[in-house]
Amino acid sequence: MSLSISSVSDTSLPTPSHDMRARALFFEDPKSKLILERVQLIGPSSANVLITGETGTGKELIARHLHALSQRSKNPFLAVNCGAFSETLVESELFGHERGSFTGANVARAGWFEAACGGTLFLDEIGDLPLPMQVKLLRVLQERQVVRLGSRTAVPIDVRVIAATNVNLEEAVAAGRFREDLYYRLQVATLQVPPLRERRGDIYALAQHFLRTYGERLGLQEPALTDEAVGLLVNHSWPGNIRELENVIHHALLVCRENLVRPEDLRLSSLNKRGNAAGSDPKCELRDALLALFEKEGPNLYETIEAVVMKAAYEFCDHNQLQTARLLGISRNIVRARLIQCGVLTSGTGAVLGTSTRPAPALPSS
């Protein structure tokens, strides 16, 4: 399923957005279809939306689609990268300024909030906004009016705000880098966009889209992928998400022969990152590792998993049985019995494994 959103207004954007990704959304994977259902429910409202996910997952595309579904669709959609402005200029950019309000302000100028009046303002990388500006943004969202830099007159605004970030804002709030009240003001509705590696059903559809689009640009007649190339694409980890996939297909079409993309034409990244703060989840990584282990269906599978957990915890705790017990929330006797069972300790007092010189981690006392 693809949805064309090329009709969404994208005039006066601060940075170019007329790329292949901005023309269609693909929802072939079950996870993506769930996102689409949620977007269709949220879109018609004017509620603020917070979109989270790794860089390159299509957060701006979803924001544009939310705008297209709303009653504001005939009014401006403006996208602003909050991390692109210096701390001294961000207030002027967002809220505008009067003539003479600072050096170089030769004329008065409306900010992005005023420019987006009646429409939607997409604040990308909201997690990069400086704390002083977070306070002012919160007030704007509460009062629905802005005061230009150098002015004392409030200007009413009618803007729907959609914010996006690749930062885990809950962690940022806990660390004091993001205001809790602003966080709750932004996340009236939330959308979590999974990385491409977690919605592999979209990979082939996106690859075909980029294949057709760049094929037309390059004047190629019906370019295609070999089965082997498709297999590599579907199984790649895609640390750069959709943006990386687009570049891979573009490069492949430049170097392929006979309009057929083969494995050797694919320049796949060797990076093996599992995402940034917003998308990285140790539980997801553990789940993926367990699924790979389940596919092998070896004997005594549960005992194998338990032994791996016990050995890893014991090593992490500098081979200290008491610290390991506290870490896992079980008794020291159980730890010792399991370590003997999996061959880490002998039935006597000696340990089979050598000791580490790394300081033991600080754990709460029981």
Side-chain angles (χ1 to χ4, degrees), residues 171-190:
E171 292 181 359
V173 168
R177 298 191 304 271
F178 200 85
R179 289 186 62 92
E180 184 176 7
D181 44 8
L182 177 59
Y183 171 67
Y184 288 117
R185 176 67 64 171
L186 291 171
Q187 63 129 28
V188 175
T190 59

Side-chain angles (χ1 to χ4, degrees), residues 155-217:
V155 179
I157 57 168
D158 174 24
V159 175
R160 182 188 194 179
V161 172
I162 301 177
T165 182
N166 60 1
V167 174
N168 188 319
L169 289 187
E170 291 186 357
E171 292 181 359
V173 168
R177 298 191 304 271
F178 200 85
R179 289 186 62 92
E180 184 176 7
D181 44 8
L182 177 59
Y183 171 67
Y184 288 117
R185 176 67 64 171
L186 291 171
Q187 63 129 28
V188 175
T190 59
L191 290 168
Q192 170 67 45
V193 185
L196 191 55
R197 61 180 172 273
E198 292 181 11
R199 44 189 175 106
R200 296 189 181 277
D202 293 339
I203 294 175
Y204 181 70
L206 283 164
Q208 288 293 330
H209 168 66
F210 294 136
L211 205 68
R212 290 190 300 269
T213 306
Y214 280 106
E216 291 176 2
R217 281 192 170 190

Side-chain angles (χ1 to χ4, degrees), residues 19 51 60 65 71 85 94 99 130 134 246 251 260 268 279 288 308 325 349:
D19 57 17
I51 307 174
E60 183 176 337
H65 191 48
Q71 296 180 354
F85 305 119
L94 290 179
R99 179 181 178 183
Q134 293 178 27
E246 177 186 353
H251 172 267
L260 188 62
L268 299 178
D288 292 342
V308 170
T349 58

Side-chain angles (χ1 to χ4, degrees), residues 61-111:
L61 291 182
I62 291 176
R64 288 176 177 272
H65 191 48
L66 287 167
H67 174 76
L69 291 172
S70 73
Q71 296 180 354
R72 301 171 177 268
S73 59
K74 295 182 180 180
N75 295 321
F77 175 97
L78 302 183
V80 181
N81 188 327
C82 295
F85 305 119
S86 66
E87 189 168 348
T88 56
L89 289 178
V90 65
E91 180 177 3
S92 169
E93 291 290 337
L94 290 179
F95 309 136
H97 63 261
E98 295 294 340
R99 179 181 178 183
S101 56
F102 57 87
T103 303
N106 299 322
V107 295
R109 195 181 74 168

